[in-house]
Amino acid sequence: MNLKDITAEKLVGLYRNRDLTVTEVITSTYGEIERIDKDVRAFITLCPLRAFEEARRMDERIASGETVGPLAGVPVAIKDNIAIRDVQTTCGSRILEGYVSPYTATAVERLHRAGAIVIGKTNLDEFAMGSSTENSAFFVTRNPHDLNRVPGGSSGGSAASVASGTSILALGSDTGGSVRTPASFCGVVGVKPSYGRVSRYGLVAFASSLDQIGTLSKSVRESAQMLEVICGFDHFDSTSADQAVDEFVKNLDQPIRDVRIGVPKEYFIGGLDPEVKSKIEAGIRVYESLGCHIQEISLPHTEYAIAAYYLIATAEASSNLARYDGVRYGLRKAGNAALQEMYRETRHSGFGKEVKRRILLGTYALSAGYYDAYYVKALKVRTLILRDFQQAFERVDVILTPTLPTVAFKIAEKTADPLSMYLSDIFTITCNLAGLPGISIPCGKNSEGLPIGLQLMANHFQESLMLRVAHQFEKAGGCNIN
Ligand code: GLN
């Protein structure tokens, strides 16, 4: 069975009609992993023992006519910075190699309760720092559409797994685009919910004021279903929002005629690949044909977003990553040496180049004398960016942009120049700085057959509207636009 052609919904229907057993599906999932993943390399850890045990139990429940959850028996992949009890959580880093989590993230717990079956943990840029998954300390994940190209990052393993059919659904995390970027490069759907929508309990912190867990799937409907399961208040996360979760799936087919869509002029300037531009313009025409009103809008502080993001994210990272000291987690080097030397050796050999660069940048931005000039200034810019969006959402309901300025780039093309890698985040990071929900959906391919992503953003906690607008694009054939 080819998981590439099957959706979660269809799978659950097949189980219900007894046309297929969960054990059969889990067996073919691992078969596909064996066949495909030696090239794609999406997974760091596989959990077949638990998966088969859960499949067996689920089959029994289904056979006995028990009511099962909406994701019963659906194979999911989890980014390896999200904790699962008794499974290793590496964050793609040597410093956590072999570290086994003592508890399970709330999002994973909720998926489990809905019947989903975790098949493994996926590769990522070390501590989710990157846009290509090349910063993993272990290996590079490849784009299933072209193995010489990156899958995007940092949730590259999760996106590549869904796109190559080695899982049906996946979780990623998005601090500055890490769900939407790989979704765009791998031709799948990626959703970053509003800040606070999904509990961060069990998500290893990178930049706590920006981090959100998000979903990857082949269709908007599947992501809507997953979000319905994982969103909602959790007392284990003090930043989790006590906001009602709408019936995302049920609302998908509500009409979108007269929805006002804003297209920010600042997102269509230099550096935007002409083929990406023309597909996004064709995407806009799909919305016109669906009766939406397209308006040009302005988000004037966009040009400062990269600078603000790379100050705030690195400042928070430098403080969050202080906990990896050789005492509390994973790796310890020079255990018999003096304490300072043990810290130094552990961090020196445990962290990769990009992580060190960010710790240095962040520590600098927070140091006495530079704090006001860099960190506080960046926070002020963040407020201005949020205000741009607030003003825009007085006039429009959703905002439409390309997800990235280009299609997937070649492996090693940008590794020598970190700045060029940072610049690829220009369209995705504003959403995190403002705490808004964002989605990337496929919008055709370029002349080389590489996927292009269209991004929609909505106001805080307007996921339901955003998903509906995305779903109807898909229904109108926008994903396969020529
Ligand atoms: N590419 C961005 C970065 O490197 C975003 C990463 C993310 O969202 N985790 O920081």
Side-chain angles (χ1 to χ4, degrees), residues 75-110:
V76 299
I78 308 290
K79 186 178 183 179
D80 204 19
N81 62 350
I82 302 176
I84 304 179
R85 191 184 161 148
D86 297 335
V87 177
Q88 76 161 353
T89 301
T90 67
C91 291
S93 180
R94 294 271 172 222
I95 213 158
L96 282 177
E97 206 175 351
Y99 163 74
V100 174
S101 307
Y103 65 97
T104 298
T106 298
V108 176
E109 192 63 55
R110 290 183 180 179

Side-chain angles (χ1 to χ4, degrees), residues 434-456:
L436 303 170
I439 184 171
S440 177
I441 46 176
C443 179
K445 292 183 173 161
N446 78 352
S447 48
E448 292 173 282
L450 297 167
I452 291 167
L454 179 146
Q455 175 176 242
L456 297 168

Side-chain angles (χ1 to χ4, degrees), residues 79 128-131 153-154 173-178 206 309-310 358 425:
K79 186 178 183 179
M129 298 176 186
S131 312
S154 61
S173 68
D174 192 314
T175 303
S178 278
F206 159 15
Y309 170 85
Y310 278 95
R358 300 220 185 179
D425 300 336

Side-chain angles (χ1 to χ4, degrees), residues 189-201:
V189 174
V191 184
K192 177 206 108 62
S194 308
Y195 186 77
R197 238 336 176 186
V198 178
S199 168
R200 288 185 295 113
Y201 180 71

Side-chain angles (χ1 to χ4, degrees), residues 17-141:
N17 296 333
R18 315 285 156 88
D19 289 330
L20 203 60
T21 67
V22 180
T23 304
E24 282 167 343
V25 168
I26 297 300
T27 306
S28 54
T29 304
Y30 284 109
E32 285 298 90
I33 292 176
E34 189 148 347
R35 192 173 69 82
I36 300 170
D37 211 50
K38 58 183 183 315
D39 297 323
V40 174
R41 308 210 68 187
F43 287 92
I44 294 180
T45 305
L46 296 172
C47 337
L49 287 181
R50 320 161 53 107
F52 279 110
E53 175 55 24
E54 283 172 23
R56 192 185 57 75
R57 260 185 280 144
M58 186 57 79
D59 280 329
E60 277 172 14
R61 290 178 58 193
I62 295 172
S64 70
E66 228 182 276
T67 348
V68 290
L71 297 174
V74 178
V76 299
I78 308 290
K79 186 178 183 179
D80 204 19
N81 62 350
I82 302 176
I84 304 179
R85 191 184 161 148
D86 297 335
V87 177
Q88 76 161 353
T89 301
T90 67
C91 291
S93 180
R94 294 271 172 222
I95 213 158
L96 282 177
E97 206 175 351
Y99 163 74
V100 174
S101 307
Y103 65 97
T104 298
T106 298
V108 176
E109 192 63 55
R110 290 183 180 179
L111 286 178
H112 181 73
R113 250 184 276 149
I117 296 183
V118 173
I119 49 161
K121 307 282 302 280
T122 57
N123 198 21
L124 67 158
D125 288 297
E126 187 172 359
F127 285 102
M129 298 176 186
S131 312
S132 66
T133 314
E134 291 165 294
N135 295 337
S136 165
F138 305 125
F139 47 83
V140 174
T141 298

Side-chain angles (χ1 to χ4, degrees), residues 221-234:
R221 184 181 292 278
E222 292 169 289
S223 271
Q225 180 62 72
M226 260 181 123
L227 289 165
E228 239 179 78
V229 168
I230 65 172
C231 287
F233 179 70
D234 175 23

